[in-house]
Amino acid sequence: MRILVMNPNTTASMTASIRTTATSAASPGTDILATEPLWGPESIEGHFEGYLSAAAVLDRLATLDAPFDALVMAGFGEPGREGAQELLDVPVLDITESAAQMAMMLGHAYGIVTTLDRAVPQIQDRLLTAGLLQRCAAVRGTGLGVLELEQDPERTVEVIIETAREVVRAGAEVICLGCGGMAGLQEKVAAALGVPVVDGVAAAVKFAEAVVGLGLATSASRSFAPPRPKVIGSWPLSAHLPLDRAAGRAPDAHFSR
């Protein structure tokens, strides 16, 4: 089984961190492929960058030259999953919904710790659309930007723990890490809090393995039917990028077993 994990931003170091977490969560025999878009924002902190990223991710998926059995989209609360479900004939898992679904199996109410406060409404909207908001006790921002998460790892963990304690006081029995850039921090946060902490990347990988293992895929009967054939100007954009740019991010550039 091969699972593609897509970092929605163009920061390669974050792709590497996400790949490490996904690989650690994967079962023996599951290969993890990880990559990011060829163009788009270096981090996603709002609707504008979110929609740019969604287009870049779909563009990347349309030009990939590597087979995979499932896709994990590693953006938390960001758009684009539905488009990927229409584009692909393999299961598509989103870390936001995967984290929340797993958290609800572990406690009555869950909470989310994310990056900037401006991301909170976007995450809440995503949970509402997915029917998962009712059991969410709170969503709190740490005040850290996405790219700041990697600058001082010890300080990042401290701030996440401090914010998570607020979420627990609000009634959460399980904590979800609300950013792909927080991948791999769940054990340290859980040890400090004494409650389960769910990493969305790891959760999505395990759900992907289960869905593929059961021989299931996204229903194409209605909502996620393939796009109707039509002319889309300059699509996919990646096909029109300068050769040196495309060569620097070839389809296999960030893939690893």
Side-chain angles (χ1 to χ4, degrees):
M1 183 187 309
R2 305 181 85 193
I3 298 175
L4 172 64
V5 182
M6 178 67 70
N7 174 17
N9 66 47
T10 57
T11 300
S13 61
M14 197 160 291
T15 303
S17 175
I18 290 170
R19 178 196 302 119
T20 298
T21 296
T23 301
S24 297
S27 300
T30 296
D31 290 341
I32 297 297
L33 317 178
T35 193
E36 69 270 345
L38 297 180
W39 56 274
E42 61 180 351
S43 65
I44 304 163
E45 294 166 331
H47 295 286
F48 172 71
E49 293 161 351
Y51 283 105
L52 281 179
S53 167
V57 165
L58 294 174
D59 181 276
R60 181 71 167 123
L61 292 171
T63 55
L64 271 174
D65 190 27
F68 53 92
D69 301 299
L71 169 67
V72 168
M73 297 186 69
F76 209 97
E78 291 147 20
R81 176 182 58 80
E82 295 88 348
Q85 286 180 294
E86 292 184 9
L87 183 66
L88 304 175
D89 59 3
V90 300
V92 178
L93 285 297
D94 165 81
I95 67 170
T96 315
E97 296 183 20
S98 295
Q101 293 279 11
M102 185 164 287
M104 291 192 300
M105 299 176 190
L106 304 174
H108 176 73
Y110 70 95
I112 296 172
V113 176
T114 188
T115 52
L116 300 179
D117 180 68
R118 65 177 295 169
V120 171
Q122 195 169 348
I123 291 172
Q124 290 172 327
D125 285 349
R126 187 73 193 177
L127 295 173
L128 179 63
T129 300
L132 301 169
L133 186 60
Q134 185 175 359
R135 287 174 60 186
C136 181
V139 183
R140 296 281 191 275
T142 59
L144 295 174
V146 173
L147 299 182
E148 290 180 83
L149 296 173
E150 297 181 332
Q151 293 177 2
D152 186 345
E154 291 186 6
R155 175 58 179 160
T156 294
V157 172
E158 290 175 0
V159 174
I160 290 173
I161 291 171
E162 179 182 340
T163 307
R165 286 198 174 105
E166 297 177 10
V167 176
V168 170
R169 286 195 290 269
E173 300 170 4
V174 183
I175 295 295
C176 297
L177 299 180
C179 177
M182 296 178 180
L185 302 181
Q186 64 271 22
E187 291 183 3
K188 293 181 179 179
V189 178
L193 294 177
V195 301
V197 176
V198 179
D199 174 83
V201 173
V205 166
K206 301 311 289 186
F207 280 134
E209 288 180 334
V211 173
V212 174
L214 291 170
L216 300 173
T218 305
S219 172
S221 66
R222 193 180 184 190
S223 301
F224 304 119
R228 297 181 66 189
K230 64 186 66 174
V231 175
I232 304 176
S234 299
W235 170 264
L237 178 61
S238 295
H240 305 279
L241 291 175
L243 290 178
D244 57 345
R245 173 75 186 278
R249 300 280 182 83
D252 293 330
H254 301 296
F255 287 175
S256 67
R257 179 178 293 270

